[in-house]
Amino acid sequence: MSENRELAQIGVTGLAVMGRNLARNLARHGYRVAVHNRTYERTRSLIAEHGHEGTFIPSESVKDFVASLQRPRAIIIMVKAGQPTDAVISELVPLLDSGDIVIDCGNAHFADTRRREQDLRARGLHFVGSGVSGGEEGALNGPSIMPGGSAESYRTVGPIFESIAAQVDGTPCCVHVGPDGAGHFVKMVHNGIEYADMQLIAEAYDLLRAGTGASPAELADIFRTWNEGDLESYLIGITADVLAHVDAATGRPFVDIVLDQAEQKGTGRWTVQSALDLGIPITGIAEATFARSLSGHADQRAAARAAFGSDQRPWTVPDRAAFVEDVRKALYASKVVAYAQGFDHIEAGSEEYDWGIDRGAMATIWRGGCIIRARFLNRIREAYDRDPDLPSLLVAPYFVAAVSAGVDSWRRVVADATAAGVPAPAFASSLAYFDGLRQDRLPAALIQGLRDYFGAHTYRRVDREGSFHTLWSQDRSEVPA
């Protein structure tokens, strides 16, 4: 036992910005932290610059790193997703003992996490795929943490993670999400919602600028005001900061000197691909992902401008204050749709993989630390607390009232943007989803008829059970399928 007290309680391998800050967070909370990096210089610089923050136990080799940990060992991997993660796991596994825990806190694809968990479980080891949101600041000062894996592994790492996570109203922004890949799945969907959130904010900015002619600094004031109401969120707050920023080199608004080609690291694309596999319409998230793709196709955009011109139609807003309020309401309603679709996706994934994810708990741990933290996540948590089987977040009483109050504004904004030639794909697709969701009948009936005509794919009827096929190329009589 005396020797055990000298050993590290948890280890971190991979000391780039996120791994470094996570190790510092752990040390600041009183944990003895073993640290390791492929190149020892990063380990040395961590100790030199931040060794005073707590107890770090550095190692130059993986063997010494593993040996410096008390059992059951808990090792956090913070390296690039994919093959680099597999390489680190392959190096660690031969040095580990039954019951040890390997934790991937990177942005791994949940299918990889499921594969790794199954493989390590067969070797008597625990594998935890854990989403960590909040960027480098969150990693250091308190992120939102979404661990998957076995309940047994959570009994060891859960208290540690809960202590270093962001805290909201005394509740840690960390919970055991579910088995195997559940944690990384939820983090993937979180990032998909983040894509939609940012695209909607960018469209709101673009609409306000086009409709009012306001400068970025003036628009920053509008976003600051919005951040004091129902739209209060981390992203709205930093939008105001970015719009207010002036480029030191040119004296121009910072937003005007940034190249308009948005990048992505893959989690948005994974979210859309997964939703397609599960049959879940996450149209707002998909449009946000495709909008980033479109922004990057510079050659196509240049060719289209040459062919059609880029001038927008004259747009005169008769009442500036009313227009700003319309955009605010449209943004809020579209945001509700994005979150509703994301939570639908989580529910579908949970059912498909038998994870038993608590959607209300996800809203709870996203209230602090993470990028999409926002005031209205409290409303989402309340909605699922009231009805855990809620068919759609949109039909929760609070959101019914909130969206209903903004529908007219939503329609005006999308119509005005379309008439003026200002693209608002996420606003428009969110509105179309809302309209489609509440229709008594959709034109899918015609699609089924067409599918049956050219491919004998059959159809079902509204007036009796069973599947049917019409003999289109014969006498057009109907036969049971």
Side-chain angles (χ1 to χ4, degrees):
M1 290 298 291
S2 59
E3 181 186 3
N4 217 35
R5 281 197 293 270
E6 311 240 343
L7 296 174
Q9 295 159 292
I10 191 163
V12 179
T13 180
L15 300 177
V17 174
M18 287 292 288
R20 182 188 184 97
N21 282 2
L22 205 55
R24 291 173 60 196
N25 188 353
L26 287 160
R28 287 177 173 186
H29 281 81
Y31 296 102
R32 299 184 301 277
V33 187
V35 288
H36 168 266
N37 194 74
R38 187 172 55 85
T39 54
Y40 189 62
E41 182 52 42
R42 277 191 175 167
T43 309
R44 184 183 291 113
S45 77
L46 169 62
I47 302 303
E49 295 172 26
H50 304 289
H52 63 280
E53 294 180 343
T55 302
F56 296 99
I57 302 174
S59 295
E60 193 162 356
S61 72
V62 174
K63 183 177 180 180
D64 289 345
F65 170 66
V66 171
S68 71
L69 285 152
Q70 68 183 33
R71 296 179 59 186
R73 302 178 183 95
I75 298 173
I76 294 173
I77 298 174
M78 288 296 285
V79 300
K80 289 182 179 179
Q83 193 278 329
T85 299
D86 282 325
V88 172
I89 293 171
S90 296
E91 196 173 4
L92 284 171
V93 163
L95 303 171
L96 300 179
D97 296 302
S98 179
D100 287 349
I101 306 163
V102 178
I103 310 157
D104 178 11
C105 285
N107 270 337
H109 194 291
F110 75 93
D112 287 339
T113 302
R114 298 190 78 212
R115 167 178 57 80
R116 291 164 182 152
E117 193 276 337
Q118 183 177 14
D119 180 46
L120 267 65
R121 181 164 21 100
R123 299 166 184 253
L125 302 171
H126 296 283
F127 186 78
V128 174
S130 181
V132 177
S133 179
E136 57 186 272
E137 180 184 346
L140 180 62
N141 297 316
S144 175
I145 308 178
M146 298 152 254
S150 67
E152 183 182 349
S153 66
Y154 193 78
R155 282 193 287 274
T156 297
V157 302
I160 298 174
F161 281 173
E162 288 176 17
S163 68
I164 69 165
Q167 308 284 319
V168 177
D169 300 330
T171 300
C173 294
C174 174
V175 73
H176 182 219
V177 178
D180 58 74
H184 274 146
F185 182 89
V186 164
K187 176 56 163 57
M188 175 191 74
V189 177
H190 164 284
N191 284 22
I193 295 172
E194 179 184 308
Y195 273 50
D197 218 339
M198 285 193 284
Q199 177 65 26
L200 289 166
I201 289 170
E203 289 179 17
Y205 147 77
D206 201 30
L207 290 164
L208 289 172
R209 195 167 186 184
T212 68
S215 68
E218 292 172 312
L219 297 178
D221 289 336
I222 290 173
F223 278 92
R224 283 196 193 96
T225 301
W226 286 357
N227 204 39
E228 296 171 359
D230 287 344
L231 280 171
E232 180 192 343
S233 68
Y234 172 72
L235 285 171
I236 292 288
I238 67 171
T239 296
D241 284 348
V242 171
L243 290 176
H245 185 55
V246 175
D247 176 52
T250 64
R252 296 172 59 194
F254 171 76
V255 73
D256 288 343
I257 60 92
V258 177
L259 186 67
D260 62 335
Q261 296 178 24
E263 298 178 355
Q264 54 182 305
K265 290 187 175 180
T267 46
R269 183 172 65 251
W270 294 347
T271 307
V272 176
Q273 290 169 338
S274 167
L276 287 170
D277 290 339
L278 293 169
I280 300 299
I282 56 167
T283 53
I285 295 170
E287 284 294 348
T289 305
F290 290 134
R292 291 197 190 189
S293 298
L294 176 62
S295 76
H297 286 274
D299 291 345
Q300 287 185 330
R301 292 171 59 194
R305 284 195 301 275
F308 302 107
S310 60
D311 293 338
Q312 297 170 353
R313 294 183 181 181
W315 189 0
T316 302
V317 175
D319 186 334
R320 174 173 165 150
F323 176 69
V324 170
E325 180 62 6
D326 275 351
V327 174
R328 186 192 69 80
K329 288 181 176 179
L331 175 58
Y332 191 81
S334 298
K335 183 184 176 86
V336 173
V337 166
Y339 280 72
Q341 292 176 348
F343 278 91
D344 288 348
H345 191 180
I346 289 172
E347 179 67 7
S350 181
E351 290 183 6
E352 175 71 16
Y353 302 110
D354 195 24
W355 284 330
I357 297 175
D358 180 344
R359 290 178 291 178
M362 297 308 99
T364 299
I365 66 171
W366 288 350
R367 295 180 304 158
C370 72
I371 303 302
I372 64 171
R373 58 187 184 266
R375 174 187 291 190
F376 93 149
L377 280 160
N378 282 313
R379 300 292 189 178
I380 295 176
R381 182 190 62 173
E382 290 165 4
Y384 286 120
D385 284 349
R386 194 173 293 115
D387 182 1
D389 299 319
L390 197 64
S392 168
L393 194 59
L394 281 165
V395 303
Y398 173 83
F399 292 112
V400 169
V403 172
S404 297
V407 168
D408 290 343
S409 293
W410 204 0
R411 296 196 190 287
R412 281 193 295 269
V413 167
V414 170
D416 288 348
T418 302
V422 178
F427 272 47
S429 68
S430 298
L431 179 59
Y433 173 85
F434 168 75
D435 284 335
L437 196 64
R438 61 192 187 82
Q439 293 302 305
D440 180 53
R441 277 186 64 78
L442 292 167
L446 177 58
I447 293 172
Q448 284 300 90
L450 296 172
R451 293 179 71 242
D452 189 61
Y453 192 109
F454 66 70
H457 292 297
T458 76
Y459 52 87
R460 287 174 294 141
R461 298 176 58 96
V462 299
D463 54 357
R464 60 180 183 268
E465 294 295 318
S467 296
F468 302 89
H469 169 58
T470 292
L471 303 174
W472 296 102
S473 61
Q474 300 175 35
D475 62 359
R476 302 203 172 188
S477 61
E478 183 179 78
V479 295

